[in-house]
Amino acid sequence: MRTSIMTLFSLALLSVGCVGEEGEPSNQERSAAVQFEPAQLSEEATRSAPIVAAPELPSPPSSAPAAIDGPWQAWVDHEVARVQGEAPEWFEHVMTVAPKPTRSGFLRLVGPELEDPNAAPVLLHRYLIAGESAEVKAAVVAALVRTNGAYAKVLGELLVSEPDPLVRVGMVSSLRRVAGPDSLAAIEVALADTDPQVRTAAANIAGRHPDGATLAVPLIDALDDLPDVQLAASRSLGYLRVQSATAALTGLLASPDAEVRLSSLQAIDRIDPAYAEGLSQLTVLVGDADPKVARAAQRIAAR
């Protein structure tokens, strides 16, 4: 902040010719600078401001949610009734907490009240009955990941019935840290979604999932998709070091999309550096029209 103010001040002085020879400040500059010295503050102004306590959040429920045993709709209804009975104010707060915009323009729900497994059935209930916009619904389901609760099985079914792709992307994003077969099954459903945004999100999430390597087959199949999906799938396959993906990734080295060529080459190199060094395509890629692709190929060829 200080540097920015002084820079602006110096520019103002230059604009009126107030800088002396050889960069030394002139008398006019010294006189002008005095005007920018802060005045002595009064005793009242120097007193510390009172500390305002943050608003106290309602107390969460005292017990934990039960495991899903049977139809998930019945589980949500049962857990919502329990939470309402144990902590009605907390329930209302989670049902109405407003999402905040991120720098990228998306909405998200944040707050310590969401970091509780009890918030999972409440957020699912809010998604089902609140009638909010698609943007808010996406934020609600994406916030499930903060709860560390049980919801993967529910999302596996909701992904099939939810009509808005933005909301489905939010559902997929909430699966990234959820271990177990229900989560993997839901991600696989999303990899076959009709909307490329959802498929791209699923391919990205698979690479970040603790058991993502078990999705190797649908991820390799995704390399035949649109460029955005190919890009996400190739990155995930490289991150997961899926050995069986090298042949399919090699086929993408001739892609018309430079980012796909680059991510495929980098993935191959991460999976099997020796295989990457022996690629016949390197002789072409070292002179690729895209400088990033060319540099990556040159680094591999020079080893």
Side-chain angles (χ1 to χ4, degrees):
M1 178 65 73
R2 183 186 306 161
T3 303
S4 298
I5 292 173
M6 291 306 297
T7 300
L8 291 172
F9 179 51
S10 298
L11 289 172
L13 292 174
L14 283 168
S15 68
V16 294
C18 295
V19 177
E21 294 179 1
E22 298 181 0
E24 292 293 324
S26 66
N27 290 333
Q28 186 177 358
E29 180 182 358
R30 293 190 185 98
S31 175
V34 172
Q35 300 175 21
F36 287 83
E37 292 179 1
Q40 190 70 25
L41 296 176
S42 66
E43 183 181 350
E44 183 72 22
T46 58
R47 290 177 184 170
S48 299
I51 298 175
V52 179
E56 188 174 349
L57 292 172
S59 298
S62 56
S63 58
I68 299 178
D69 184 16
W72 65 262
Q73 296 94 331
W75 173 79
V76 170
D77 292 343
H78 176 271
E79 292 302 315
V80 164
R82 177 186 61 81
V83 172
Q84 282 181 306
E86 292 182 13
E89 292 182 0
W90 185 88
F91 170 82
E92 189 61 28
H93 181 75
V94 175
M95 286 291 292
T96 57
V97 61
K100 299 177 181 180
T102 64
R103 290 182 179 179
S104 56
F106 292 100
L107 297 178
R108 69 172 180 172
L109 291 182
V110 295
E113 65 277 14
L114 301 176
E115 297 168 7
D116 186 316
N118 285 293
V122 178
L123 289 172
L124 288 168
H125 180 67
R126 177 173 173 174
Y127 159 79
L128 290 167
I129 67 102
E132 295 170 302
S133 68
E135 290 78 9
V136 175
K137 280 186 173 184
V140 167
V141 293
L144 285 166
V145 72
R146 300 177 179 275
T147 70
N148 290 321
Y151 56 84
K153 181 179 179 181
V154 182
L155 293 189
E157 295 190 30
L158 291 177
L159 276 165
V160 179
S161 59
E162 168 55 47
D164 195 289
L166 179 62
V167 180
R168 299 202 298 277
V169 168
M171 290 177 178
V172 174
S173 72
S174 71
L175 295 167
R176 63 185 180 273
R177 294 202 301 263
V178 185
D182 289 334
S183 175
L184 294 168
I187 296 172
E188 188 165 2
V189 167
L191 282 168
D193 196 275
T194 57
D195 190 279
Q197 299 174 83
V198 182
R199 299 197 300 275
T200 301
N204 276 318
I205 292 302
R208 293 165 175 78
H209 194 277
D211 302 315
T214 63
L215 295 169
V217 172
L219 277 174
I220 292 172
D221 290 342
L223 296 178
D224 290 327
D225 208 315
L226 299 174
D228 284 348
V229 186
Q230 292 175 330
L231 183 62
S234 59
R235 287 173 174 168
S236 289
L237 288 164
Y239 182 77
L240 296 168
R241 290 188 167 93
V242 177
Q243 289 284 340
S244 57
T246 52
L249 288 166
T250 301
L252 290 181
L253 295 177
S255 169
D257 189 293
E259 285 192 85
V260 172
R261 294 197 302 277
L262 177 62
S263 64
S264 299
L265 179 60
Q266 291 172 331
I268 292 169
D269 193 36
R270 181 179 174 88
I271 295 168
D272 190 340
Y275 180 89
E277 291 166 14
L279 285 168
S280 60
Q281 290 87 341
L282 280 181
T283 56
V284 175
L285 293 173
V286 293
D288 196 276
D290 185 272
K292 291 182 180 179
V293 177
R295 284 195 297 269
Q298 289 161 10
R299 283 194 295 269
I300 295 171
R303 290 203 298 251

